[in-house]
Each structure stands twice: as C-alpha cells, then as structure tokens.
Amino acid sequence: MNATQEELKFKLEQALVAAFGDDYAGVDPILVTASNPKFGDYQANVALSLSKRLGQQPRAIASAIVDKLDVSDFCETPEIAGPGFINLKLKVAYLEAQLNTIQTDSRLGVPKTETPKREIVDFSSPNIAKEMHVGHLRSTIIGDSIARILEFQGHDVMRLNHVGDWGTQFGMLITHLQEVYPTLLDSVYVDTPLRKYVLNPDSINLGDLVKFYREAKEKFDKDADFRDRSRKAVVELQSGNMQAEHAWTVLCEASRQEFNKIYDLLDVQVIERGESFYNPQLSSVVEDLAKSGLLVENQGAQVVFLEGFTNREGEPMPLIVQKSDGGYNYATTDLAALRYRIQQDEAKRIVYVTDSGQSNHFAQFFQVARKAKWVPDDVELVHVPFGLVLGEDGKKFKTRSGDTVRLRDLLDEAVIRARADLEARLKEEEREESEEFISKVAEIVGISAVKYADLSQNRTSDYIFSYDKMLDLKGNTAPYMLYAYARIQGISRKGGINFAELGENVKVLLQHDTELALAKYLLQLDGVIGSVEQELLPNRLCEYLYELSKKFNQFYDRNQGVRVLEAEEPLRTSRLVLCDLTARTLRLGLDLLGIRVLERM
C-alpha cells in the first residue's frame, strides 16, 4: 500500500471500532483500489464480510462505518454503492498538495525503512572454468534488481556471488592446465612471505573456457593416465599443495575476468565468495550437527532425516552432509555458508536467487539449519525461485546446434539488433547521428531490452525469449519506457526548459482528467516499491512503470491530453512539473531495475 492507502485503512479501522466496539479492533477493512474511476479511487468491502457476524444488512453496516469515518482532510464525502461498498474519492486539493511535496524530494516521496537491517542477496553463481550462459541470466538480473531495491529502502545489503570454485572436477582442470599452459604457470608464479603466489591478471588468458573445459573432460573420460593424475591433483589441492593451489588460482582468475566482462556490460556489482571460502568450515558443520543429535549413519554416510520429504517407497528422505568416503557435497557447503552468514555476517534476511528446480534443496537445508538451531527467530531465510528461459519453440533456449547459449553471445546479439533497428529508423527519418551516439544508444537499448524482458515477467514462470518482442517500441518493453523518458527530455529541449530550475514554490494544479490520472499514479510509487521489497517480485515495478508511461502518453496526447509548452501560466509550469515528476519516477524505477536511461533515442 502507498501512504495514502495506509492512512485510509487506519481511518477505516478506527471507524469500525467506533461503530461496533473494541471486538472489531484489527478487522481488515478490505480496502482496494477502485476498479473503475467513476466509483472513486478506493473501495472498502468490509461491510459485506461482516454481515453474518453482525446480523445486519451490508448497507446498514456500511452506513454505520461511514457515520464514524473522518476522512475529510483528503477525501470527498464517502459514498455507499451496491450492496454495501464504501467508495472513497481523493480530493483534488489533497493530490495537488502531495505532488507539491514530492517534487522537492529526491526520493519522490518514498520513505526509507524504519527498520533497516543487514540483508544478503545470493545471486548469479557461475562455475569456474565455465562461461556464463543463458541459465545465469535470470539469477543475475533478478538478484541485482532485488539488491538495488533493498539498498534504496535503506537496508545494509551484501551482494554475494556463491561461485562454484571447488570440487573434484578441478583435478582434471588443473592437470589439463599444467599440460597445456606450463609456461603460463611459471610466468605468473611468485613466492612471497605474505602469499604463496601472486598473479598478474593481464598475463592470464586461457582462451575459450568452454573449449578448455570440454578438452579436459574428454581427456578425463578417455585417458586412464590423465584420470589418475587428475585424481591425484584433487588430493593435492585439498591438502594445500602449493603448485596445485596455484594452478587452481589461475583457473579462478581466468574465469573471473570473463565473468567481470558480463557484469560490467550488465552494470552489476557483486562480491565473490565462492564455495572454497567455506571449505575449512565443513568438518565443524558435521561436528555441530552430530552434537545436536541430528546426524544418523545411513549406508556409511552421515545424514539428517527430513520431515515432509520421502523417497519413492514412502520412507523418510535423508539429506547427506558427509559421504561414505568422508567427502562433502553441496548441502554441506550451503549449510556452512548459511551458518557463517548468520553468525559472522550477522544477516537478518538471506535471499537466495536460483531456479525453481532447486526449491527442494533449499527447503531441505533450511530445515536442517533450523533443527540445528542456527537460525534465530529474527532471521528470515528466503528462496527466490524463477522459471526457465525458453526459445520461441517453447523449449529450453539453445543454439541451433543444441548447445547452451552463451550469455555474452546473447547480449551481443541484442545490441546488434538494437543497432540495426536504430539505423533503420535514422535512415527513415533522414537523421544524421554520430557513431558515438549510435553505439551508445544501441548498447543501452539492447542490454535494457534483455533485462526488462526478464524482469517484467512474474519470476516464478517460464518465459519465451524473443528479440523481436523485447526490442519493440510498443508494449511493455524497455524501448517503450526509454522512449517515454526521452520524450519528456525532448519537451525540455524544445522549450529551453531546465526542469531542475522550475523552483520550489511552483504549485501543481490538476484540472484535466489526464492530469488527475497521471497525478494519482505518480503517488503510488512508494506502495509499489514497498511491495517489491517484501514480495521480491520486480515485475510489480515493471507493471507500474509501464502503466505510468501509458498515462503520461495519454496526458501528453494532442487529442485526449493537454498542451504543455503552449499552455498559459500557471498551467504551463504546473504541467512541466508533472512532466518532470514522471521523468524522475521513470529514471528512478528503471535504475532500480538496473536500466540506464537515454536523453535522446
């Protein structure tokens, strides 16, 4: 809810108690946005729900509530409609006053949280020696947007990248690296009293990481000697052998360089803390679980039996935390990470952004952590699941050859197509632009289109990836939003207006229906951001920005809207303020989605 809706709800709750007594304290007034503007702005439906309890007709109940309802400061006289709906219409003077207040507020009327806390957002999580692919797209984009919104709300956010940088596969990768790039290892190795090795990142280039990984895997599968040496390399790595650890570090740095190219392109900031970070803590995780009485030996492995999870035979399902050979697995690492984040990072909410296929895994190790009493009552664990990215055939998005789409290739293609669209439009308009302008616009539009197409979907659903749809200038797309923003900047240029210099004493005046509709929507921003903060659904913000853009276009439309630059004062300046507030709201909202705006397109 926005601030106005919260105040209305509070007033209705007071009226309920005044009308029917203290037994009705806390009853939800069921306040919703009116479905049709002709009925007002809000509608309270509580009278219908209380009819049976009170033994009265809903209209009589509604009348009793209205008699005790004091909303004269910001609403017209409440009206009762139909079987007992209470319709509430905001006063124009109230809307004008609200807009006059937020126009001088850099946060546009969105208050910071009154209860800031340490929050961790765990997202992206690629694997070392593998390039980021389309499967990492949603986690990276959704996680970044959630982190941005939580930061804007005033929370202390840690953006953690739980990179897959440990495991048995590193044996074959280290062995392959030592065979293929022996001079690379020599050239970057330096022994110092402070560190066992020093890397010069500029000298590390393994070429195509996907090819490198495939070559190592092929050798491992076909060459028995290579396989034996790989297994030995795993033991050496885990025991702290300096050469093995150095080769592992080279692999990590080479991968990190490739990851950072993607993060820079997407404008994503994230702190890497890989699986290896928690490796020294795994044995103590097992010890803690044993002390708590949760561990059970099952077929030589140490497990915790789970409630609510059964195998095909209907027997309780165990979560393995130590394998029969003494090794550990993902669950052990995730438990160690969770314990560390609570005990050392002091997080109060931990948000994991991964695909919905991992929902059971998170439910299981969350349950184990709670049973072990690692999760205090004031700590919230949240899995933020998302669906698959599908091709236009409705199947998993892949290349024509059936390979997984590399994320860099996907983003590059979006930019190429955005550039082609822009060049075609410039040719049609007989408009000359510099190469710098074309390149900048193409990159921002292309990357933004990919981001927005993802974020505008309900994250729990699969979505079909279509360049044509996401780059369309019409509909709920990034180009549509960017164009709406650029259109407002065009008003500024055309009129020689500096929005920042309109002044603090300007008064907003709302006289036209499209002005009122735009004003009411501008004042809903705080409620939208608040709901995304709680529900972690960025598509709610996308829907808001899309509707806001439509309402602005209706406001500025020559046929059904109003004149701005041609209007007489004081309406001219008032309408310029509405334009500026819309642009600032779009810029803020898009920034929270990780999308940059353009002054011209």
Side-chain angles (χ1 to χ4, degrees), residues 101-276:
T101 298
I102 70 169
Q103 70 159 315
T104 58
D105 180 4
S106 62
R107 294 180 58 86
L108 296 170
V110 183
K112 285 192 174 185
T113 180
E114 295 179 356
T115 55
K117 55 191 174 185
R118 168 67 63 91
E119 302 211 22
I120 288 176
V121 183
D122 177 326
F123 67 102
S124 195
S125 304
N127 291 312
I128 294 298
K130 292 184 180 180
E131 288 195 82
M132 293 177 72
H133 54 75
V134 68
H136 297 110
L137 176 67
R138 302 208 75 183
S139 178
T140 304
I141 291 173
I142 294 170
D144 176 60
S145 179
I146 287 173
R148 286 170 181 262
I149 289 166
L150 295 177
E151 288 162 349
F152 178 72
Q153 290 294 76
H155 296 290
D156 177 14
V157 180
M158 291 185 67
R159 299 156 159 260
L160 292 185
N161 195 4
H162 191 77
V163 174
D165 65 351
W166 201 254
T168 56
Q169 75 274 20
F170 280 93
M172 69 179 190
L173 295 171
I174 288 170
T175 305
H176 183 52
L177 177 65
Q178 291 169 336
E179 287 186 354
V180 178
Y181 296 105
T183 55
L184 172 64
L185 292 173
D186 291 340
S187 65
V188 297
Y189 175 75
V190 178
D191 193 3
T192 73
L194 297 178
R195 292 180 62 186
K196 293 180 180 177
Y197 43 79
V198 172
L199 295 177
N200 176 6
D202 295 334
S203 65
I204 298 175
N205 181 9
L206 301 185
D208 188 330
L209 288 175
V210 173
K211 182 181 177 184
F212 181 89
Y213 189 94
R214 285 177 178 169
E215 289 172 349
K217 184 68 168 66
E218 186 175 349
K219 283 183 184 179
F220 187 85
D221 291 339
K222 294 181 178 180
D223 187 333
D225 177 62
F226 181 88
R227 191 159 53 246
D228 289 342
R229 286 185 287 123
S230 296
R231 287 169 177 159
K232 182 181 177 183
V234 173
V235 176
E236 291 174 343
L237 176 63
Q238 293 176 343
S239 63
N241 176 275
M242 196 161 72
Q243 281 71 32
E245 189 174 293
H246 177 57
W248 169 79
T249 307
V250 169
L251 287 166
C252 291
E253 182 58 38
S255 300
R256 191 174 293 117
Q257 289 179 11
E258 293 304 313
F259 299 159
N260 287 339
K261 290 176 184 177
I262 300 292
Y263 295 139
D264 288 345
L265 194 58
L266 291 173
D267 191 22
V268 169
Q269 302 294 322
V270 66
I271 299 170
E272 182 181 313
R273 191 191 281 174
E275 294 173 3
S276 62

Side-chain angles (χ1 to χ4, degrees), residues 248-419:
W248 169 79
T249 307
V250 169
L251 287 166
C252 291
E253 182 58 38
S255 300
R256 191 174 293 117
Q257 289 179 11
E258 293 304 313
F259 299 159
N260 287 339
K261 290 176 184 177
I262 300 292
Y263 295 139
D264 288 345
L265 194 58
L266 291 173
D267 191 22
V268 169
Q269 302 294 322
V270 66
I271 299 170
E272 182 181 313
R273 191 191 281 174
E275 294 173 3
S276 62
F277 178 86
Y278 305 102
N279 195 55
Q281 305 162 34
L282 301 185
S283 60
S284 67
V285 165
V286 177
E287 290 172 8
D288 277 5
L289 294 175
K291 289 176 183 177
S292 66
L294 295 174
L295 276 190
V296 177
E297 185 174 320
N298 183 264
Q299 299 180 15
Q302 297 297 313
V303 308
V304 178
F305 281 99
L306 303 163
E307 297 174 7
F309 293 91
T310 56
N311 59 23
R312 293 179 180 178
E313 289 73 35
E315 300 168 337
M317 182 182 292
L319 181 73
I320 299 173
V321 294
Q322 187 171 28
K323 296 181 285 188
S324 57
D325 63 2
Y328 306 105
N329 55 21
Y330 291 123
T332 326
T333 302
D334 283 337
L335 284 167
L338 176 57
R339 187 182 63 168
Y340 188 93
R341 292 168 181 182
I342 293 172
Q343 296 178 358
Q344 304 301 318
D345 294 326
E346 299 181 337
K348 295 303 180 183
R349 180 160 73 154
I350 307 175
V351 177
Y352 296 83
V353 186
T354 74
D355 65 275
S356 54
Q358 298 186 52
S359 294
N360 279 348
H361 169 71
F362 282 94
Q364 289 169 359
F365 87 80
F366 284 176
Q367 183 185 130
V368 172
R370 289 190 177 99
K371 283 186 171 184
K373 302 190 185 308
W374 294 344
V375 187
D377 292 339
D378 62 345
V379 171
E380 184 182 2
L381 308 179
V382 185
H383 178 220
V384 173
F386 54 80
L388 299 173
V389 180
L390 306 177
E392 295 194 65
D393 58 0
K395 298 179 181 178
K396 248 187 171 180
F397 192 37
K398 292 185 179 294
T399 64
R400 290 182 179 178
S401 62
D403 293 332
T404 300
V405 179
R406 297 198 309 180
L407 187 49
R408 182 57 191 258
D409 292 343
L410 180 148
L411 297 173
D412 286 346
E413 179 67 16
V415 173
I416 290 169
R417 293 191 182 217
R419 183 185 179 100

Side-chain angles (χ1 to χ4, degrees), residues 445-500:
V445 171
I447 300 302
S448 298
V450 173
K451 284 188 170 187
Y452 191 89
D454 192 304
L455 293 168
S456 62
Q457 309 294 320
N458 185 318
R459 59 170 168 74
T460 60
S461 304
D462 300 340
Y463 82 96
I464 292 176
F465 189 95
S466 168
Y467 287 112
D468 290 340
K469 289 182 179 178
M470 66 178 60
L471 288 167
D472 198 334
L473 272 171
K474 299 177 181 177
N476 191 10
T477 66
Y480 181 80
M481 304 295 138
L482 295 173
Y483 179 73
Y485 178 84
R487 190 181 189 193
I488 297 172
Q489 303 315 306
I491 296 171
S492 168
R493 289 190 297 274
K494 182 179 178 181
I497 306 296
N498 184 340
F499 286 134

Side-chain angles (χ1 to χ4, degrees), residues 99-105 503-504 506-508 577 581 584:
L99 290 172
N100 288 328
T101 298
I102 70 169
Q103 70 159 315
T104 58
D105 180 4
E504 296 184 4
V506 173
K507 299 299 180 185
V508 174
V577 170
L581 282 172
R584 288 166 59 196

